[in-house]
Amino acid sequence: MAGQALSVKRYVVRLSGEEREQLQALIRKGKGPASRLLKARILLKADVSEAGEGWSDSRIIEALETSASMVYRVRRQLVEEGFEAVLSRKQRATPAVPIFDGEKEAKLIALACFEPPKGRARWTLRLLEEKVVELNIVERASDSTIGRVLKKTLSNPISSNSG
């Protein structure tokens, strides 16, 4: 017994009957993001209430083929943020990419229509990215953002014979 540390769970999962029913219905339906379904399964297996299975983390990890950190994060989020927070996606505090408004988008499109820089046969996304920053159209950009703006424009052309 000496040398063996007692394993005390810091984040204990205790689900109400209503929460269990909601998770079971979610799994039965089988629809939704895979991460949400995995989280539901983790909660059901980790539940130590009378109706719960009370599995150990190692057993959950093996049965659901997931990582220890995932099980830990789900437990922690349930205890710290609540049941609904575990099943909903966390909203980003800032947008993932800088937003091109209509005016900036128009400037980018106009730029792409001009001749490429000397020595270049055509514009690349990387060249356009550098040029929109150089011309202070936007503070920063990525080639994927530039590509999305141009793709949106090219996939939705204005009809030349309208009107």
Side-chain angles (χ1 to χ4, degrees):
M1 208 73 180
Q4 283 186 347
L6 271 178
S7 175
V8 178
K9 293 277 181 239
R10 185 171 170 190
Y11 300 107
V12 178
V13 175
R14 274 196 184 78
L15 300 173
S16 69
E18 186 180 312
E19 291 169 337
R20 287 188 63 74
E21 286 175 28
Q22 190 176 341
L23 294 172
Q24 289 166 341
L26 182 68
I27 292 169
R28 250 191 325 275
K29 221 185 273 182
K31 293 198 184 241
S35 61
R36 183 181 301 155
L37 296 174
L38 175 61
K39 289 176 181 182
R41 287 184 176 95
I42 290 170
L43 290 175
L44 287 170
K45 300 295 182 198
D47 182 18
V48 296
S49 68
E50 283 185 30
E53 298 182 38
W55 283 16
S56 67
D57 285 3
S58 57
R59 189 170 173 198
I60 294 170
I61 292 163
E62 186 179 329
L64 301 179
E65 296 180 348
T66 189
S67 65
S69 62
M70 178 64 165
V71 174
Y72 175 79
R73 284 192 313 267
V74 169
R75 285 179 176 276
R76 184 184 68 208
Q77 190 174 24
L78 176 74
V79 172
E80 292 180 354
E81 300 174 36
F83 182 74
E84 291 302 321
V86 176
L87 298 179
S88 62
R89 283 191 71 173
K90 188 175 182 180
Q91 294 297 314
R92 292 178 64 111
T94 58
V97 291
I99 298 169
F100 275 81
D101 62 17
E103 181 184 337
K104 293 175 183 176
E105 205 170 282
K107 288 180 181 178
L108 168 62
I109 294 164
L111 176 64
C113 292
F114 281 108
E115 287 291 315
K118 287 191 190 249
R120 299 292 185 152
R122 62 185 180 89
W123 283 104
T124 64
L125 293 176
R126 182 72 55 174
L127 284 172
L128 285 168
E129 171 193 345
E130 292 167 2
K131 198 67 173 175
V132 294
V133 172
E134 179 186 317
L135 295 173
N136 291 323
I137 295 172
V138 292
E139 234 177 82
R140 61 187 172 90
S142 70
D143 53 354
S144 62
T145 306
I146 303 291
R148 263 195 306 276
V149 170
L150 294 175
K151 181 178 180 181
K152 181 175 78 171
T153 303
L154 295 173
S155 66
N156 195 10
I158 300 171
S159 176
S160 59
N161 52 355
S162 62

